[in-house]
Amino acid sequence: MSFTNVSIREALQLPEGSKARIRGWVYRRRIYGDKAFVVVRDSTGIMQTVVAKGSTIDFEKAENITIESAIEVEGTVKNDPRAPGGKELRVTSFKIISKAEPFPITASASREFLLDIRHLWVRSRKMTAIFKVRNTVFRAIHDYFKNKGYYEVQCPMFITAAVEGGATLFEVDYFGEKKVYLTQSSQFYLEALIYSLEKVYTVAPSFRAEKSRTRRHLTEFWHAEAEAAWAGLNDMLKVEEELIAYIVERVLEENQQELEFLKRDISALEGVKPPFPRISYTEAIEMLKRKGIKVEWGEDLGADEERALTQEFEKPFFIYGYPVKAKAFYHKTDPQNPKVTLSADLLAPEGYGEIIGGGERIADKNELIRKIKDFGLNPDDYQWYIDLRKYGSVQHAGFGLGIDRTVMWICGLDHIIDAIPFPRTIRRIYP
Ligand code: 4AD
Ligand code: MG
């Protein structure tokens, strides 16, 4: 008799009568008459194994096995429509690799408790399904940029001046010397690197000291950022919509099972195809006013306003031309309209809101220095960034995609903390 090690997904495809050895963790255990039903979980799925009483000493082992114990089981595949996946393994050998202590997670566990015990909750089928989608999203981002001729680069996380405004900067003690912060965005370094590689991107964490508790803010999030020389706002919008459509297409191809497990409405994702609608900030304000929402031209749009706007669209959509004061200093002013910038956000539908921010950058040295001063900042803090405008400056544009928010939307989650294995928020840095 020969047994081969197989994954549970493979075991569930074997014809009846095949011999197989699977290993994994005990997902469920139930005694029924003279049989022990032990459902085993591995990274590919779950499978029911059946240990019959009287046959061997293995019955006692199976009878007393605890949830999350690591086991290795040999047996014969048998069709059974009642079993998950339609097959079970009739056990001939039941080996305990490591017996688990009583597992602390039960069906009645609160959300808070599941976060305290996240290091164990990551084993749940829900989390596993989300991580698989997340994996596809990261892969797709790298594949997209690679196919489009972008170079991947790496930028520092310790920085000395704010990119996205001082309010959300994390200060770090750096040998007690000068002030150092955790980066909010790799954008400025990408801007330096376009003069070497022209088209660059990076996938890295960004940090924001977000004091508000919302469903879509982490203090440490994953950021996919791109920057291209010779590009204007509209060139970048094209890249953004292609990237998003490609990510969604890949998830639909590779994660059918996971989306089904998460009860995600697939039809909403199937429509995510370019071109995405584009509305100006001014149109967005008018839309909101017609909906009876109190907003004034000039304010940035918050989560509530964005949610209201997403009701008007079936797929992701762009809002372009944000007012000068509503966006960070580096955005280029629209030469046709000095009140607004050549910036755009991409909003995900179904209430999710902003997943991308980006636009065209100021390429002129004097314009940049003026803007830095207008924003009450000190040009001395941005010396090297200003330098880039002294030596062969060219038109350029870029954007940043919040990957965790993208996963949240694609998976249809109601909170961003479930989109990342170990979330960092204002209240949580453990485990
Ligand atoms: O709109 P943001 O602040 O833009 C930038 O950082 C630019 N420098 C990017 C660039 O042009 N290279 O952030 C970009 C995206 C947001 O649209 C959002 O999806 C995500 O990053 N994001 C967050 N995600 C989770 N938690 C937070 N606290 C986030 N802050 C921003
Ligand atoms: Mg933004």
Side-chain angles (χ1 to χ4, degrees):
M1 222 167 25
S2 77
F3 290 92
T4 28
N5 258 331
V6 291
S7 69
I8 285 176
R9 189 200 294 128
E10 287 164 335
L12 289 171
Q13 275 151 18
L14 291 173
E16 193 165 47
S18 309
K19 310 263 181 244
R21 182 192 298 126
I22 60 173
R23 57 188 173 185
W25 294 266
V26 174
Y27 181 68
R28 249 192 330 248
R29 191 224 53 180
R30 185 161 61 85
I31 310 299
Y32 211 77
D34 58 354
K35 284 187 181 128
F37 294 86
V38 179
V39 178
V40 187
R41 167 183 74 72
D42 74 2
S43 64
T44 67
I46 59 170
M47 184 175 200
Q48 175 165 291
T49 69
V50 189
V51 185
K53 200 172 190 165
S55 53
T56 57
I57 52 156
D58 291 339
F59 183 75
E60 273 84 70
K61 283 199 224 159
E63 190 182 25
N64 297 309
I65 200 66
T66 46
I67 298 297
E68 289 303 317
S69 291
I71 59 172
E72 189 176 85
V73 182
E74 290 173 1
T76 311
V77 175
K78 186 97 177 54
N79 292 336
D80 188 331
R82 289 164 303 179
K87 292 203 171 131
E88 60 184 24
L89 198 67
R90 296 281 169 89
V91 175
T92 50
S93 160
F94 190 95
K95 191 165 145 198
I96 299 172
I97 308 291
S98 162
K99 189 161 176 177
E101 295 180 23
F103 199 59
I105 299 176
T106 58
S108 60
S110 71
R111 195 175 171 80
E112 275 307 298
F113 179 69
L114 293 179
L115 281 164
D116 290 339
I117 206 134
R118 187 71 159 203
H119 51 297
L120 301 177
W121 181 238
V122 290
R123 305 175 181 200
S124 65
R125 294 187 77 202
K126 178 181 174 188
M127 285 288 119
T128 304
I130 295 167
F131 300 155
K132 287 181 182 175
V133 173
R134 188 177 165 98
N135 169 69
T136 306
V137 171
F138 275 78
R139 286 273 165 85
I141 290 168
H142 286 290
D143 290 347
Y144 174 82
F145 283 121
K146 187 175 164 223
N147 292 339
K148 294 287 167 180
Y150 280 72
Y151 288 96
E152 183 182 6
V153 295
Q154 294 75 31
C155 304
M157 299 289 107
F158 288 133
I159 53 147
T160 54
V163 185
E164 295 298 325
T168 61
L169 270 182
F170 272 116
E171 206 174 308
V172 186
D173 176 33
Y174 201 74
F175 308 109
E177 285 174 30
K178 58 178 169 183
K179 280 196 177 165
V180 170
Y181 311 99
L182 292 177
T183 196
Q184 299 163 308
S185 158
S186 299
Q187 179 192 321
F188 291 178
Y189 293 94
L190 296 182
E191 285 186 64
L193 289 164
I194 59 162
Y195 292 99
S196 156
L197 297 165
E198 296 192 40
K199 297 201 305 188
V200 293
Y201 82 98
T202 193
V203 175
S206 282
F207 303 87
R208 308 271 170 108
E210 299 282 358
K211 277 139 206 141
S212 52
R213 292 177 196 169
T214 73
R215 291 166 179 273
R216 60 178 201 170
H217 284 97
L218 295 167
T219 51
E220 175 180 342
F221 69 96
W222 280 83
H223 210 170
E225 296 184 89
E227 198 73 27
W230 320 108
L233 174 64
N234 287 320
D235 302 310
M236 267 304 138
L237 298 194
K238 205 156 167 285
V239 174
E240 292 170 33
E241 69 187 0
E242 267 183 23
L243 169 65
I244 295 299
Y246 181 69
I247 293 171
V248 170
E249 185 189 315
R250 284 278 297 270
V251 170
L252 285 171
E253 256 168 45
E254 296 174 29
N255 297 107
Q256 251 183 18
Q257 275 184 6
E258 287 74 30
L259 294 174
E260 203 174 300
F261 184 85
L262 296 167
K263 300 193 168 65
R264 182 65 169 106
D265 174 11
I266 306 261
S267 67
L269 295 176
E270 282 168 344
V272 180
K273 301 235 164 67
F276 297 163
R278 295 164 194 211
I279 58 165
S280 70
Y281 168 86
T282 304
E283 287 170 300
I285 294 293
E286 281 159 12
M287 260 183 181
L288 288 167
K289 283 187 171 157
R290 281 199 298 275
K291 289 164 89 66
I293 292 166
K294 268 188 72 182
V295 275
E296 286 309 319
W297 196 98
E299 296 169 4
D300 199 9
L301 302 174
D304 293 339
E305 290 82 35
E306 290 189 359
R307 193 172 312 112
L309 288 169
T310 67
Q311 291 165 356
E312 308 298 309
F313 299 91
E314 306 258 277
K315 46 177 163 173
F317 60 99
F318 290 107
I319 302 178
Y320 64 87
Y322 282 83
V324 172
K325 289 286 169 198
K327 287 283 174 201
F329 71 87
Y330 53 74
H331 289 285
K332 185 180 163 84
T333 299
D334 184 348
Q336 314 291 320
N337 178 357
K339 281 182 164 167
V340 305
T341 50
L342 295 175
S343 61
D345 281 0
L346 181 72
L347 276 63
E350 302 171 87
Y352 284 98
E354 180 188 347
I355 54 171
I356 291 182
E360 193 172 323
R361 323 304 189 187
I362 298 173
D364 179 72
K365 185 186 78 178
N366 295 328
E367 190 186 339
L368 180 61
I369 294 171
R370 221 180 307 122
K371 193 86 179 279
I372 289 172
K373 287 183 182 159
D374 278 355
F375 271 63
L377 300 166
N378 183 354
D380 291 345
D381 293 337
Y382 294 94
Q383 238 169 17
W384 71 257
Y385 187 61
I386 294 167
D387 246 13
L388 302 179
R389 279 73 188 165
K390 293 187 197 167
Y391 309 102
S393 184
V394 297
Q395 183 192 35
H396 62 288
F399 66 91
L401 166 70
I403 308 178
D404 318 282
R405 283 195 191 171
T406 305
V407 172
M408 177 188 176
W409 159 55
I410 291 177
C411 289
L413 308 177
D414 58 17
H415 206 299
I416 195 167
I417 56 180
D418 284 334
I420 181 165
F422 298 101
R424 295 294 180 252
T425 66
I426 184 167
R427 288 189 304 157
R428 193 163 285 280
I429 46 162
Y430 174 95

